[in-house]
Amino acid sequence: MRNQLRLLRDVSTFILMAGTWRLWFAASDFPAIPFFEFLTAVPRIVDRVLSSVLIAALLVDTFLTTIRCVRGCTSVRSVRIGQLCDLLFITMAVGLALLNQHCLQPWMYHFLLLTPLLWLSRPNSRLIVKNADVAATVESGMREAFSRNAILWLTSSIYFWSACSKLDASFLQSHGPKFVEVICDAVGISTRFWTELTWQIAAATLPVGELLVGVLLLFRRTQSFGLLASLLMHALLIVAVGPWGLNHRAGVLLWNGFFVVQNIILFRAARDVATAGATTDLPGSAFQTVLTAGRASSGPWYRLSVAFLVGAILFPVTHSIGCGDTWPAWAVYASSPARVLVQVQDDSVEQLPESLMPYIEPRPFNDGWSWLRIDLWSLAATGTPIYPEDRFQLGVARFVAEAAESGNGIRIIHEEEADRWTGKRERKEFQGHAEMSRLAAKFHLNTTPH
């Protein structure tokens, strides 16, 4: 199972990075906003080096994992190289995210969390019983069972926190009805005579259903229902955001496809210690010896993995108290996060770089200002949605102000996080370098563009 999931992780990461290569290789005019200001001095070529090493590690691990899947056996050398590839993958990906917050895409963060749970381990040479081959098989089965359960818990937490982020008024008033409309059109349900209340109730079924799937995955008796429900949920989401619906970027479809394949692998690999004990010819005492020895041998690895898993599952709590970022808290497609909207004075439009002209959007009423759609700029330049933090978006606005001859021709509207019950936001305007810098001083992390 771990080899199958490793291969799925490697191939999915490679495809997603290939589709968004301008982001990873610093090959676009979209600004990079490091997490810490001192990192703005790091040359952009470092991003290309880190991305190249990361892709090389993925290719090597893909080759070795394919061999392990075909042959059904694992050598000590293959395990060591696989562990090195994991360490390189984690190190390079974390480095890229530190150099550019935009690189902390939700799928990359997901694959980073999966990696320690798929860690390969060498056979335990200290495990000595009469049936050594069976003992090794049982020990391997124990590690497989732990990885399977850990990934199920991680997946369940993703669904849970994602659902919680959508259970608010802003989702029911904006993104939710759009998803419902597309899904209903796809399955032939007419919404012509729906009232506003009907739209909101229908929109609420999306996060409620996602929450239910997360709960079903936690319990052995309901996991099969959770599998079926998760497949249906991802299929509907693919319909909603795919070319038949909202026509979002391919990365969203690929990440949903990853979940579909992962969940099928998890439920087909229903091997745990109890099953191993029931299917082997070892007497009870011998099996208990293997079981105890296996637990003892994997003690430090087990404790570290459990601590890591608990931290990953509970991290979104920081977002709930206003500390953590949106995507690492699995608030995907949430409508409530704080945001920054950018406007350009009509007299200053010609001062902007030519590459920004396609993203200038006139306002419905002429007050001398036009919108600059930095969200569309991000999609076109990097192939990814803009990082959903007002801190990051402020950094992009400061980059635009620096590019213009007169920074006073750039104005931003800072919208606070939407109220959970009403969906209303507090809005403040900031114009020019000085006022943007005053707003930037309120953030603990960096808002200075590279």
Side-chain angles (χ1 to χ4, degrees):
M1 177 205 71
R2 277 183 294 178
N3 284 327
Q4 293 175 335
L5 291 176
R6 287 177 68 89
L7 186 59
L8 178 63
R9 178 207 62 184
D10 292 344
V11 173
S12 299
T13 306
F14 184 77
I15 294 175
L16 284 164
M17 287 188 68
T20 57
W21 67 273
R22 290 183 180 87
L23 172 65
W24 306 99
F25 287 90
S28 75
D29 59 349
F30 198 82
I33 316 293
F35 266 99
F36 304 102
E37 187 171 358
F38 73 90
L39 293 175
T40 57
V42 178
R44 295 304 305 277
I45 193 174
V46 174
D47 298 61
R48 298 166 188 167
V49 173
L50 296 180
S51 296
S52 298
V53 174
L54 190 154
I55 290 177
L58 286 176
L59 291 174
V60 172
D61 192 67
T62 299
F63 175 74
L64 294 177
T65 305
T66 302
I67 293 177
R68 288 196 295 268
C69 289
V70 172
R71 294 182 177 178
C73 60
T74 302
S75 66
V76 174
R77 177 178 296 180
S78 174
V79 169
R80 287 177 176 173
I81 297 177
Q83 291 173 340
L84 176 61
C85 290
D86 282 347
L87 292 175
L88 286 174
F89 173 70
I90 293 173
T91 304
M92 299 302 107
V94 170
L96 286 164
L98 290 176
L99 291 174
N100 187 2
Q101 301 172 40
H102 211 171
C103 289
L104 195 58
Q105 294 289 309
W107 51 266
M108 178 61 81
Y109 180 64
H110 182 201
F111 298 159
L112 278 174
L113 295 183
L114 277 177
T115 299
L117 304 180
L118 297 173
W119 184 260
L120 294 172
S121 52
R122 286 175 291 169
N124 183 12
S125 59
R126 294 177 297 171
L127 188 61
I128 302 175
V129 294
K130 292 181 180 179
N131 297 26
D133 292 338
V134 175
T137 300
V138 171
E139 184 186 6
S140 176
M142 290 172 57
R143 293 179 182 269
E144 292 270 310
F146 172 78
S147 293
R148 172 179 172 272
N149 292 330
I151 296 171
L152 274 173
W153 274 79
L154 176 62
T155 304
S156 173
S157 73
I158 293 174
Y159 295 153
F160 173 84
W161 291 113
S162 176
C164 289
S165 71
K166 300 181 185 69
L167 289 172
D168 58 19
S170 62
F171 181 80
L172 301 183
Q173 297 167 1
S174 56
H175 290 354
K178 292 180 182 178
F179 288 155
V180 170
E181 182 179 11
V182 171
I183 293 172
C184 288
D185 287 344
V187 298
I189 298 177
S190 174
T191 60
R192 183 178 178 182
F193 300 106
W194 283 17
T195 64
E196 182 179 353
L197 178 61
T198 304
W199 278 108
Q200 293 186 358
I201 292 175
T205 61
L206 300 180
V208 170
E210 190 175 22
L211 186 64
L212 178 61
V213 171
V215 173
L216 291 175
L217 292 179
L218 293 177
F219 305 100
R220 184 176 301 174
R221 293 183 178 180
T222 60
Q223 282 176 358
S224 58
F225 299 103
L227 168 63
L228 295 176
S230 70
L231 297 180
L232 176 61
M233 178 182 70
H234 286 292
L236 291 176
L237 189 55
I238 290 173
V239 169
V241 301
W244 315 275
L246 300 176
N247 197 24
H248 287 188
R249 295 287 168 166
V252 178
L253 302 179
L254 290 171
W255 193 32
N256 277 276
F258 173 90
F259 274 105
V260 171
V261 179
Q262 173 202 260
N263 289 353
I264 292 175
I265 293 174
L266 287 173
F267 284 95
R268 291 183 62 183
R271 295 178 298 177
D272 53 20
V273 178
T275 303
T279 56
T280 59
D281 295 329
L282 285 175
S285 58
F287 176 73
Q288 188 62 37
T289 301
V290 174
L291 182 64
T292 304
R295 284 175 177 168
S297 66
S298 58
W301 171 83
Y302 173 80
R303 288 190 291 269
L304 286 174
S305 299
V306 169
F308 171 81
L309 178 64
V310 171
I313 290 174
L314 296 181
F315 179 80
V317 174
T318 61
H319 179 68
S320 303
I321 60 177
C323 296
D325 282 2
T326 301
W327 276 346
W330 306 120
V332 184
Y333 289 115
S335 308
S336 59
R339 59 195 180 193
V340 167
L341 308 177
V342 183
Q343 294 179 341
V344 183
Q345 200 167 26
D346 292 343
D347 296 338
S348 302
V349 169
E350 294 181 355
Q351 300 176 8
L352 296 177
E354 187 67 27
S355 60
L356 294 184
M357 295 304 166
Y359 315 112
I360 299 295
E361 186 176 285
R363 304 178 71 190
F365 52 91
N366 185 10
D367 63 348
W369 293 85
S370 298
W371 294 113
L372 173 58
R373 295 290 302 275
I374 59 175
D375 56 333
L376 298 182
W377 182 21
S378 171
L379 285 171
T382 68
T384 61
I386 192 170
Y387 195 64
E389 294 298 321
D390 52 350
R391 174 191 72 243
F392 179 86
Q393 294 162 14
L394 174 59
V396 176
R398 296 179 71 185
F399 175 85
V400 174
E402 292 175 0
E405 294 179 9
S406 174
N408 290 328
I410 305 298
R411 180 173 71 183
I412 66 169
I413 300 175
H414 181 243
E415 296 188 339
E416 299 285 352
E417 185 173 359
D419 182 85
R420 176 173 289 274
W421 304 108
T422 66
K424 295 182 178 179
R425 301 173 182 266
E426 293 186 10
R427 296 162 58 102
K428 293 182 180 179
E429 293 185 359
F430 300 86
Q431 183 175 345
H433 290 293
E435 293 188 7
M436 289 187 201
S437 297
R438 190 173 75 247
L439 175 61
K442 297 181 180 181
F443 294 100
H444 297 294
L445 296 176
N446 177 52
T447 63
T448 302
H450 194 287

